[in-house]
Amino acid sequence: MKARFSCVVDQHPKFGRQAFVWAASLLTYGGADSHSLVIHTVGEYHGEYRKIFDAWGIETQLVQPFDPRHPNSNKLAQLESGALHSADYVVLFDCDIAFCGDISCWISGDAIRARVASSAGLPPRRWVKVLTAAELPIPEVWVEAMVSQASTLPSYVNGGFYVIPQVVFQQLREVWPRWNRWLLQNQELIEPHAEFTDQISFALSCQELRLSVNHLPVELNLDTLYLPPGLDTVPERAGNRPVVLHYHRLNQEGLLRLTKVSSINRQIRKINDLIRLAEQVNFDKSSLMLLRERPVA
């Protein structure tokens, strides 16, 4: 089984730093090797981390902005990346992702894998209106959003972590960009949620293609800013031992911010220790690999 792990780096310096955390933690704890990573840069990227990615043997590919009206949709530029077309599985990430454990066992099956979105995106009646305007089927079964617990489409998922089999990836290449552009031209249908155009268009694509999504558990994409209800009061609650952290933004030191949950903070400190070590050894990959053998309390 061959998987390629991919993210998109925009020109703002914060994205280079996030991609550094993404790559370092994926190589050290996530179970990936450098040849399986691809970093797509929007335009020529000459930031301070470029030489580090090169030294680590990580492939970088230049992509063009998808649409200037919606920078978050730049992730769709990956769909035409030749670096991803020979893999059995394409695993797409946002840059603001850090790995505390091996994700290899979750890269399997014939369906898309992704976590249910934190919020519903649109109320059910608005979803029905959008689907009707798009002449797409309305699902019979709805699910609860992870944090808000409001009803939403089963295909409305968090865009930070997608596992996509190659056959499905090829289907999405034409359909996902088409629905994304359709929404950008019909933003009144989804206002004030146009920020999530890429996620909503992904849901529409799944509806057209009648694709099912196998939902990842919360610990495989834990949003540290918007924790599921009860996570800070129930020690045994799923998610208290996250494998993948979706942290959104780093602090002024370039480290992950702590939460109110001590068990989650242990994983955050593990990542922050990795970041500090990488800096101390001048980003030497061989030193990072030593952490693979280091036990974690």
Side-chain angles (χ1 to χ4, degrees):
M1 184 273 293
K2 178 183 177 183
R4 297 302 304 264
F5 305 93
S6 177
C7 70
V8 174
V9 175
D10 280 300
Q11 290 296 321
H12 192 285
K14 72 176 182 180
F15 294 111
R17 177 69 174 190
Q18 289 177 349
F20 162 67
V21 175
W22 174 80
S25 60
L26 183 53
L27 291 172
T28 306
Y29 297 126
D33 61 70
S34 59
H35 300 295
S36 65
L37 274 61
V38 186
I39 295 176
H40 294 87
T41 67
V42 180
E44 290 288 351
Y45 177 71
H46 300 293
E48 61 181 327
Y49 294 104
R50 176 60 189 266
K51 62 180 181 294
I52 300 168
F53 302 146
D54 292 343
W56 288 355
I58 297 172
E59 181 177 358
T60 55
Q61 290 279 336
L62 185 148
V63 294
Q64 298 303 315
F66 181 82
D67 192 303
R69 291 173 293 181
H70 192 251
N72 286 354
S73 291
N74 283 338
K75 69 174 58 175
L76 276 70
Q78 297 168 99
L79 295 171
E80 294 304 319
S81 172
L84 304 180
H85 292 170
S86 62
D88 299 314
Y89 292 90
V90 177
V91 192
L92 304 181
F93 296 99
D94 287 345
C95 285
D96 56 344
I97 295 285
F99 304 86
C100 310
D102 196 327
I103 63 171
S104 302
C105 65
W106 295 96
I107 305 172
S108 62
D110 299 323
I112 297 166
R113 290 180 183 264
R115 175 176 67 73
V116 174
S118 296
S119 65
L122 300 170
R125 61 179 177 79
R126 296 278 308 278
W127 276 117
V128 171
K129 182 178 180 180
V130 172
L131 292 171
T132 301
E135 300 182 349
L136 293 174
I138 298 169
E140 296 181 3
V141 178
W142 296 64
V143 298
E144 285 188 355
M146 184 68 68
V147 176
S148 70
Q149 300 182 325
S151 292
T152 192
L153 300 187
S155 55
Y156 185 63
V157 294
N158 183 275
F161 181 3
Y162 297 103
V163 179
I164 308 176
Q166 184 64 235
V167 172
V168 177
F169 187 75
Q170 293 300 323
Q171 291 177 288
L172 288 169
R173 282 179 66 190
E174 184 273 327
V175 177
W176 191 4
R178 170 161 49 80
W179 284 118
N180 202 88
R181 292 189 175 97
W182 182 79
L183 286 174
L184 289 174
Q185 294 192 10
N186 296 277
Q187 291 191 30
E188 71 280 357
L189 287 171
I190 59 173
E191 290 291 0
H193 303 288
E195 175 187 355
F196 303 107
T197 295
D198 55 304
Q199 291 180 197
I200 297 174
S201 61
F202 182 85
L204 298 186
S205 303
C206 291
Q207 292 304 112
E208 176 182 333
L209 296 170
R210 298 186 183 276
L211 297 173
S212 61
V213 178
N214 287 347
H215 292 136
L216 292 170
V218 61
E219 56 265 31
L220 264 293
N221 184 352
L222 182 73
D223 190 322
T224 60
L225 281 185
Y226 306 102
L227 296 175
L231 209 62
D232 57 344
T233 58
V234 184
E236 67 277 10
R237 180 76 180 271
N240 278 4
R241 181 77 175 183
V243 178
V244 178
L245 297 167
H246 196 162
Y247 59 84
H248 292 285
R249 58 180 181 267
L250 299 167
N251 64 20
Q252 291 183 339
E253 298 176 85
L255 302 173
L256 275 65
R257 301 166 187 264
L258 296 176
T259 71
K260 297 180 179 179
V261 183
S262 60
S263 56
I264 296 173
N265 288 343
R266 281 195 290 272
Q267 299 293 72
I268 290 175
R269 291 188 178 97
K270 172 180 171 177
I271 299 301
N272 287 342
D273 287 344
L274 170 63
I275 296 170
R276 292 187 183 98
L277 178 62
E279 293 173 333
Q280 289 171 1
V281 298
N282 198 27
F283 311 117
D284 180 73
K285 181 186 170 187
S286 61
S287 296
L288 290 179
M289 294 304 102
L290 293 176
L291 284 176
R292 289 186 186 274
E293 306 301 326
R294 180 179 297 179
V296 179

